Amino acid sequence: MVGTAFAGTLTVGTDTNFPPFEFKDPETGKHTGFDVELWDAIAKEIGIEYKLQPMAFKGIVPGLQSAQLDAGIAGMSITEKRREVIDFSDGYYDSGLLLLVSADDDSIDGLKSLDGKVIATKQGTTSVEFLKENATPKEVKLFPNDNAMFMELLTGGVDAVMFDKPVIESFVSKRGKGKVKIVGDLYAGQPYGIGFPKGSELVGKVNAALKTLKANGVYNELYKKWFGVEP
Ligand code: GLN
């Protein structure tokens, strides 16, 4: 049983870069984003101290499994496979996967047209499994972070990127503007949940805090701040 959770300072894993959920603000040098602020509101609601630990996404589930992390908030999709080794909070954001190609590429219009193509995505993420099960590209190139993955598309090293909808949309509206376009459908609808070591007593507390923050408007405020729309 993971019982130390409330006694001291919790270690909370987050992705290094998964905007607008978590990223380093270039002006302040601090980690910020929807996940970061939502977790802070949850921690205040429960009355716990924590230290945020940005890390490569693929280390978060193992970190929770070995209880080196007390919680993980990283735009992490709730999947049956992960549920076998960690616990999840209730879903707090509805997501899915999108395909991104160069603006001038008319050869890809969805999953079927990925045959013989080279696709980039991020290590340890749900896109890796999804591509294995639903497409037959020539190659799937795996990158440790979003920046490297998007850069590979911009420099022509891959034909497409498959990744989480909000991160793709954020890239399209900012750094990728005019250079890339989304094609195909929204694939594999998947809610994000906060992860915990199995049996953690935090799960119930965090779910209760999430309910409170949804009822008192704090969740809505954060959602609007980071996504520009009402939930
Ligand atoms: N939602 C994806 C997953 O859970 C990607 C998360 C991430 O890269 N931070 O696998």
Side-chain angles (χ1 to χ4, degrees):
M1 162 129 157
V2 184
T4 54
F6 297 100
T9 302
L10 303 188
T11 305
V12 178
T14 187
D15 199 341
T16 46
N17 192 51
F18 190 73
F21 291 79
E22 49 260 0
F23 58 98
K24 201 170 170 181
D25 183 327
E27 270 157 39
T28 63
K30 279 196 166 169
H31 234 64
T32 188
F34 180 70
D35 277 351
V36 175
E37 294 197 340
L38 179 63
W39 176 263
D40 193 62
I42 290 170
K44 288 209 174 88
E45 187 62 37
I46 306 177
I48 44 175
E49 303 284 323
Y50 68 94
K51 182 171 72 60
L52 201 64
Q53 188 167 313
M55 58 197 287
F57 179 74
K58 73 175 167 87
I60 294 179
V61 172
L64 293 168
Q65 217 178 330
S66 62
Q68 267 163 332
L69 298 174
D70 297 294
I73 185 160
M76 186 157 58
S77 308
I78 301 174
T79 67
E80 285 315 307
K81 206 167 157 205
R82 288 178 180 155
R83 266 194 200 286
E84 287 171 15
V85 291
I86 61 170
D87 283 348
F88 277 105
S89 70
D90 294 335
Y92 66 86
Y93 181 90
D94 285 326
S95 189
L97 307 176
L98 289 175
L99 268 177
L100 188 72
V101 300
S102 294
D104 57 1
D105 184 348
D106 291 326
S107 69
I108 300 178
D109 60 4
L111 280 184
K112 292 256 179 319
S113 45
L114 293 183
D115 285 11
K117 304 280 187 186
V118 182
I119 320 299
T121 192
K122 198 162 107 188
Q123 287 171 346
T125 65
T126 46
S127 292
V128 182
E129 292 297 314
F130 182 80
L131 282 168
K132 258 190 213 147
E133 285 162 14
N134 298 285
T136 46
K138 182 164 101 194
E139 189 190 345
V140 177
K141 281 197 186 176
L142 299 179
F143 294 89
N145 62 59
D146 315 2
N147 281 339
M149 172 184 83
F150 286 128
M151 197 47 68
E152 195 75 0
L153 178 65
L154 293 182
T155 56
V158 294
D159 301 303
V161 165
M162 171 155 250
F163 203 51
D164 293 53
K165 174 178 186 272
V167 178
I168 293 259
E169 286 176 341
S170 162
F171 180 74
V172 170
S173 68
K174 297 198 174 98
R175 281 184 307 135
K177 206 170 189 157
K179 301 176 189 151
V180 291
K181 64 181 179 192
I182 293 165
V183 292
D185 303 321
L186 177 68
Y187 304 106
Q190 41 186 214
Y192 295 160
I194 303 168
F196 305 92
K198 270 221 173 284
S200 169
E201 53 203 77
L202 274 171
V203 183
K205 300 261 178 198
V206 166
N207 282 340
L210 267 174
K211 278 205 183 80
T212 305
L213 296 172
K214 281 191 174 171
N216 69 14
V218 171
Y219 174 91
N220 278 30
E221 244 169 63
L222 290 178
Y223 197 103
K224 221 173 157 201
K225 170 175 175 185
W226 290 104
F227 305 115
V229 290
E230 299 281 347

